[in-house]
Amino acid sequence: MDFQTTLKVKQQIIDEALDKYLPKEPSPQNNIFEAMRYSVFAGGKRLRPILMLAACEFAGGETERVLPFACAIEMIHTYSLIHDDLPAMDNDDYRRGKLTNHKVFGEGIAILAGDGLLNYAYELMLQSILQHPSQSQNATAAMYEIARASGVYGMIGGQVVDLDSEKKQIDSITLDFIHNYKTGALFIAAIRSGAILAGTEPETLKHLTSYAENIGLGFQITDDILDIIGDEKKLGKKVGSDQENQKATYPAFHGLNHSFERVNDLFQKGLAAIEHYGEKAQFFMDMAHYLVKREY
Amino acid sequence: MDFQTTLKVKQQIIDEALDKYLPKEPSPQNNIFEAMRYSVFAGGKRLRPILMLAACEFAGGETERVLPFACAIEMIHTYSLIHDDLPAMDNDDYRRGKLTNHKVFGEGIAILAGDGLLNYAYELMLQSILQHPSQSQNATAAMYEIARASGVYGMIGGQVVDLDSEKKQIDSITLDFIHNYKTGALFIAAIRSGAILAGTEPETLKHLTSYAENIGLGFQITDDILDIIGDEKKLGKKVGSDQENQKATYPAFHGLNHSFERVNDLFQKGLAAIEHYGEKAQFFMDMAHYLVKREY
């Protein structure tokens, strides 16, 4: 199977599992089920769950076993987008060409739909741990990896600093903090938790972590670059919004040329961390290309 | 020790543990640490964590072991209040005589402080499970009990229906749903999870659950009654706000007299569930009085 087909198959597996796990039965509160589903199925690329699946398989684990955790990380990612889009935060009316959650369901329900997805992610992982008691230690460690990366020492920490930095002059250390925490932490946790769940060797975990750190940061700087030079049609969103919102970005600090060099450097380092695995690491090599050397 | 002293001692234990667990170190994101602490230390009575502590002790468990879970449930309760107070929800400027979180820190940080507390509650419980691998099965089951009661099949489910019911005519089935889910679920989970963590016998769990269900509902109907006939000084908050906000309450449906009868009936049933334990159940008997037969 070529890379694009593999990617599609994995996306399909995730989408089916999300549909299976997310509540939908008729009930007094099904307003929130609808709101949660609306944003989960609003066109995400499923990068984090796909990386988790791949890391789990790489470390010898089973796809079936990792699915609740993979769906949980996608729910956490989605909740963070719903809350980020709120008027009190980024105040966005559209995401991926669709109305944002609060524009469809109102602010109150959007806040609760975010809360609901975050909490449900933990319910889902706990259910899975209780169903497989013999593997509970690895699974709990994987869950902790995800929880830590989602919280005030991870994604939420990055969102806070990002919010505090709006329309302010920030330094490049603060920019790195936002990059590493707001997006990087969950990206790295996706890969690490997949491998931990599979009971990985520490050496393998080290290599995968190094891959994740480099490609994760490369992915974000590429995002910043594409907001300047990207093609709106290929991207499916407006370019120039970072400059408009006076957001600090890597190119704004270090220039476009240096940004390209940095991305290339991160790409090479990411590959170097895993290339000695040869064919076994092919999907991660292709994924690095897909994430960093993209035009969309 | 008399009941009031026991209660104060338990409150003190919870407050000290909360102070120990909640982040406070200087860091780029310490704005959110401050916001989280502000609401956690804004004068809560610590009912849920105290009930959890008591249930754990009742079932033969250790206080030290249950503390991270007890603090986690208080963090979850606090996050729900922060989000409930937001302009898009109840739009309250004051709670327990203090400015609400968003009035002090702004809406964006208040949303994130709520998210941060919810997520941190899970981090804290997971850390504790990883530190005590031999008891992980009971602890994971206790954590699931809390997670389920906090989510769309518990508290959040109740918040959604409450929000949807504003300024609408609702029936008494919907009112029961809101009572049972918005407040009842977490109240019951506090007691059940404490006992489960201690490795309780199913029979004991059944009795404690029956106690929790009856006293939990009695507590809420008492809340509704006090909003009509309570003394503002003793309550520390304005009365009449339910009527003002056109909130459906138990007395509005069934009249004050019947509400008193119902509370008394629930109180008796709650006591009946545990009184055969004799002196061992004294704290729960006193607590029932404290929660249901109050003027504040």
Side-chain angles (χ1 to χ4, degrees):
Chain A
M1 239 186 325
D2 69 356
F3 173 68
Q4 285 298 339
T5 314
T6 311
L7 202 61
K8 281 224 176 78
V9 169
K10 285 193 196 301
Q11 273 167 349
Q12 182 77 19
I13 291 172
I14 300 293
D15 282 344
E16 281 171 15
L18 282 166
D19 184 47
K20 188 182 95 184
Y21 293 134
L22 279 167
K24 65 176 153 198
E25 69 282 2
S27 70
Q29 74 273 43
N30 66 7
N31 203 356
I32 197 175
F33 298 163
E34 209 191 308
M36 288 159 70
R37 283 180 168 266
Y38 174 80
S39 288
V40 168
F41 294 110
K45 290 190 286 291
R46 316 301 186 206
L47 298 179
R48 290 154 198 81
I50 286 173
L51 287 166
M52 198 192 292
L53 238 67
C56 178
E57 287 163 9
F58 187 85
E62 283 166 27
T63 303
E64 205 51 46
R65 183 74 192 90
V66 77
L67 275 178
F69 297 80
C71 289
I73 211 168
E74 186 69 8
M75 290 176 197
I76 292 173
H77 173 59
T78 306
Y79 114 78
S80 79
L81 301 181
I82 296 176
H83 282 189
D84 246 356
D85 288 338
L86 286 166
M89 310 274 280
D90 285 354
N91 195 18
D92 279 318
D93 291 353
Y94 289 92
R95 176 177 289 276
R96 299 180 192 126
K98 289 189 177 164
L99 283 171
T100 45
N101 201 289
H102 65 273
K103 294 307 275 183
V104 179
F105 298 94
E107 269 186 67
I109 292 295
I111 292 166
L112 291 171
D115 296 346
L117 281 169
L118 173 58
N119 198 83
Y120 196 72
Y122 288 110
E123 288 177 58
L124 192 58
M125 290 188 279
L126 286 166
Q127 255 173 356
S128 169
I129 292 175
L130 289 170
Q131 280 162 6
H132 302 85
S134 68
Q135 299 157 29
S136 74
Q137 214 173 340
N138 287 342
T140 308
M143 188 174 165
Y144 181 64
E145 196 78 26
I146 295 166
R148 190 82 178 169
S150 305
V152 294
Y153 293 108
M155 187 178 69
I156 296 174
Q159 286 173 300
V160 173
V161 176
D162 193 24
L163 189 66
D164 284 344
S165 305
E166 256 173 36
K167 289 166 193 168
K168 253 191 240 170
Q169 286 286 347
I170 62 165
D171 53 22
S172 87
I173 294 173
T174 307
L175 175 67
D176 286 348
F177 182 94
I178 296 171
H179 269 163
N180 289 333
Y181 281 67
K182 191 175 172 182
T183 327
L186 205 58
F187 192 96
I188 296 165
I191 292 179
R192 283 179 55 87
S193 62
I196 291 168
L197 194 60
T200 180
E201 299 292 321
E203 198 62 16
T204 313
L205 187 60
K206 216 180 86 183
H207 298 142
L208 285 175
T209 304
S210 168
Y211 169 85
E213 286 168 354
N214 284 293
I215 301 301
L217 187 52
F219 174 69
Q220 291 158 74
I221 298 176
T222 302
D223 241 21
D224 287 356
I225 293 174
L226 288 172
D227 194 67
I228 300 174
I229 60 149
D231 178 333
E232 296 198 350
K233 269 196 213 126
K234 285 185 189 167
L235 280 166
K237 65 176 177 184
K238 252 181 64 186
V239 303
S241 68
D242 288 342
Q243 220 178 345
E244 209 173 282
N245 298 329
Q246 300 180 41
K247 285 235 170 187
T249 65
Y250 200 88
F253 267 108
H254 306 284
L256 258 180
N257 252 350
H258 182 264
S259 300
F260 276 119
E261 278 169 31
R262 181 90 172 103
V263 166
N264 199 45
D265 180 52
L266 289 162
F267 176 69
Q268 297 302 339
K269 279 188 182 141
L271 293 192
I274 53 157
E275 63 192 356
H276 63 284
Y277 290 104
E279 207 149 292
K280 197 184 158 191
Q282 191 58 48
F283 182 77
F284 282 112
M285 314 279 262
D286 293 338
M287 202 66 185
H289 239 280
Y290 173 73
L291 293 169
V292 167
K293 307 266 172 166
R294 62 197 157 107
E295 295 180 355
Y296 44 81
Chain B
M1 235 182 331
D2 68 356
F3 173 67
Q4 286 298 337
T5 314
T6 311
L7 203 60
K8 281 225 175 77
V9 169
K10 286 194 195 298
Q11 275 167 347
Q12 183 76 21
I13 291 172
I14 300 293
D15 282 344
E16 280 170 16
L18 282 166
D19 184 47
K20 188 182 96 184
Y21 293 134
L22 279 168
K24 65 177 152 196
E25 70 280 1
S27 68
Q29 73 273 43
N30 65 6
N31 203 356
I32 196 174
F33 298 164
E34 209 191 306
M36 287 158 71
R37 282 179 168 267
Y38 174 81
S39 288
V40 169
F41 294 109
K45 292 188 284 292
R46 315 302 184 205
L47 297 179
R48 290 152 199 82
I50 285 173
L51 287 166
M52 198 193 292
L53 238 67
C56 177
E57 287 163 9
F58 188 84
E62 284 166 27
T63 303
E64 204 52 46
R65 183 73 192 88
V66 76
L67 275 179
F69 297 80
C71 290
I73 210 167
E74 187 68 9
M75 290 176 197
I76 291 173
H77 173 59
T78 307
Y79 114 78
S80 79
L81 301 181
I82 296 175
H83 282 189
D84 247 355
D85 289 338
L86 286 167
M89 310 274 281
D90 284 354
N91 195 18
D92 278 320
D93 292 354
Y94 289 92
R95 176 176 290 276
R96 298 179 193 126
K98 289 188 178 166
L99 284 171
T100 45
N101 201 288
H102 64 274
K103 295 305 279 184
V104 178
F105 298 94
E107 269 186 68
I109 292 293
I111 292 166
L112 291 171
D115 296 346
L117 281 170
L118 173 58
N119 198 82
Y120 196 72
Y122 289 110
E123 289 177 57
L124 193 57
M125 290 188 278
L126 286 166
Q127 254 172 358
S128 169
I129 292 175
L130 289 170
Q131 280 161 8
H132 303 85
S134 69
Q135 298 157 29
S136 73
Q137 213 172 343
N138 287 340
T140 307
M143 187 174 166
Y144 181 64
E145 197 78 25
I146 295 166
R148 190 82 177 169
S150 305
V152 293
Y153 294 108
M155 187 179 69
I156 295 174
Q159 286 174 299
V160 173
V161 176
D162 194 24
L163 189 66
D164 284 344
S165 307
E166 255 173 35
K167 288 166 194 169
K168 253 190 238 170
Q169 286 286 347
I170 63 165
D171 54 22
S172 87
I173 295 172
T174 307
L175 174 68
D176 286 348
F177 182 94
I178 296 171
H179 269 164
N180 289 332
Y181 281 67
K182 190 174 173 181
T183 326
L186 205 59
F187 192 95
I188 296 165
I191 293 179
R192 283 180 55 87
S193 63
I196 291 168
L197 196 60
T200 180
E201 299 294 320
E203 199 61 16
T204 313
L205 187 61
K206 215 179 86 183
H207 298 141
L208 285 175
T209 304
S210 168
Y211 168 86
E213 286 168 353
N214 285 292
I215 301 302
L217 186 52
F219 174 70
Q220 290 159 74
I221 298 176
T222 302
D223 241 22
D224 287 356
I225 293 173
L226 288 172
D227 194 69
I228 299 174
I229 60 149
D231 179 333
E232 295 199 349
K233 267 195 212 126
K234 287 186 188 165
L235 281 166
K237 65 177 178 186
K238 252 180 63 187
V239 302
S241 68
D242 288 343
Q243 222 179 345
E244 209 173 283
N245 298 330
Q246 301 181 41
K247 286 236 171 187
T249 66
Y250 199 88
F253 268 106
H254 306 285
L256 258 180
N257 252 349
H258 183 266
S259 301
F260 276 118
E261 278 170 29
R262 181 91 171 103
V263 165
N264 198 48
D265 180 52
L266 290 162
F267 176 68
Q268 297 301 340
K269 279 189 181 139
L271 293 191
I274 54 158
E275 63 191 354
H276 63 283
Y277 290 104
E279 208 151 289
K280 197 184 158 193
Q282 192 58 49
F283 182 77
F284 282 112
M285 314 279 262
D286 292 338
M287 202 66 186
H289 239 281
Y290 174 74
L291 292 169
V292 167
K293 307 264 173 165
R294 61 195 158 109
E295 296 180 352
Y296 44 83

